[in-house]
Amino acid sequence: MSDHIPTGNTQRIKAGPRAVAILGSYGSGKTTLLESIAVITGACPRKGAVADGSSLGDSAPEARSRQMSTELNVLSTRFMGEDFTFLDCPGSIELAGETLGVLPGVDAAIVVAEPDPAKAALLQPMLRLLADKRVPHIIFVNKFDKARGAFRGLLAALQSASELPLLLRQIPIWEEGVAAGLVDLALERAHRWQAHAPSEVVDIADARKEKEARFQMLEKLADHDEHLMEELLGDVEPSRAEVFGDLAREFANGQVVPVLIGSAEGDNGIRRLLKALRHEVPDVSAAAACLGASRDHGAVVQVLKTMHGGHGGKQSLVRVLRGSLKEGQVLQGPAGREARIAGISSLVGNHALKRATAEEGDVVALAKLDPFVTGDML
């Protein structure tokens, strides 16, 4: 799915705009996660809530009345100088068509889980779909501040739902039976959560437990890296560059499914999730190659969703797979159909931000592409 990432290279090359789908069953907190990402990345000044109808996503009247996602929610934003578009897909099986239209054009997906082993089986269809479509994905266990019971039992239940091997990236810090933070096994750094604020870096309280969990993570990475396996057998500590190189490569290749934890309601663990996405999500070239988008045709876009309504009329949400777009440009589609772009916008919830151009990797709404439908490549 992507080129091998050299494990000895410590210099990270800035990636182009990336697109990440958010999936999960009803009640898992997908839209709350979108709200948290919007505030942390500065896309919104304050955090809304699904319960009182102030959320960035789920803004349609039907979604407000049902208090659930009934349509795709889109958030284009920036994190640490890099562009991302998050596409929050409805969790209801009756609305699976929204997800099917989106997945071909994304670089990765977040699967939002609840910390309840009994609900892990609900994720099986989504995890199978992502594996079949070869979309790299992370499991984010949300509401972890409310987690109860053995963490191992939850991981076992999630593994039963996933055809691909899970890779535990973080372990919880427990204080009086309540999750109060996490230990990042790649960085070997402990973070105590603070409500609606960046976490506090603290000393690792249980070094033995952290070392055991980290070794298990490295062992799983070594299944696809002979050099790392040799280092582990020789009791040699691998370099940080090698570990992070393997994490990015094996995630992009769909060889492992990382598991992270946090609480979107309290904005806990979200920055760690965003940093993992920034480092490990491949750029648009992998999705473009899977769809067969050639540079021979100049600009190439994939229609992810067709939207109707409002004064703007029909709009097409597209991913720019190759090249760049500008207003007035003519796009050609199947059966010789063509249309001229009447406007380009980035979407932040139901707010459209006008722009003059769109670059390779961007997700944008294009106006007046009347001849085209979801799934078309133009």
Side-chain angles (χ1 to χ4, degrees), residues 135-146:
V135 178
H137 48 286
I138 285 175
I139 293 178
F140 177 71
V141 184
N142 193 22
K143 307 179 184 180
F144 211 87
D145 52 337
K146 299 179 175 63

Side-chain angles (χ1 to χ4, degrees), residues 113-117 141-155 171-181 193 260-263 265:
E114 294 186 69
D116 181 352
V141 184
N142 193 22
K143 307 179 184 180
F144 211 87
D145 52 337
K146 299 179 175 63
R148 299 293 182 270
F151 190 32
R152 288 184 179 181
L154 173 62
L155 290 174
I171 57 174
I173 298 172
W174 299 101
E175 294 181 358
E176 299 181 0
V178 177
W193 292 331
L260 285 74
I261 63 176
S263 168
E265 185 176 355

Side-chain angles (χ1 to χ4, degrees), residues 20-24 33 84 86 107-113 123 126-127 130 135-142 158 162 164-167 169-170 247-248 251-252 254 256-261 269-270 272-282:
V20 180
I22 302 178
L23 284 68
L33 174 60
F84 286 87
F86 294 92
D107 306 310
I110 304 167
V111 179
V112 183
L123 302 176
M126 299 173 202
L127 293 170
L130 291 168
V135 178
H137 48 286
I138 285 175
I139 293 178
F140 177 71
V141 184
N142 193 22
L158 290 170
S162 173
L164 300 176
L166 304 188
L167 181 76
R169 289 282 304 271
Q170 301 166 342
L247 286 169
F251 170 72
V256 296
V257 179
V259 178
L260 285 74
I261 63 176
I270 311 305
R272 304 307 314 164
L273 171 63
L274 289 169
K275 287 181 179 179
L277 295 173
R278 179 177 179 268
H279 183 268
E280 292 159 31
V281 172

Side-chain angles (χ1 to χ4, degrees), residues 305-319:
K305 178 178 170 61
T306 305
M307 302 174 289
H308 302 270
H311 298 294
K314 179 177 177 179
Q315 287 195 316
S316 301
L317 185 72
V318 307
R319 181 83 191 279

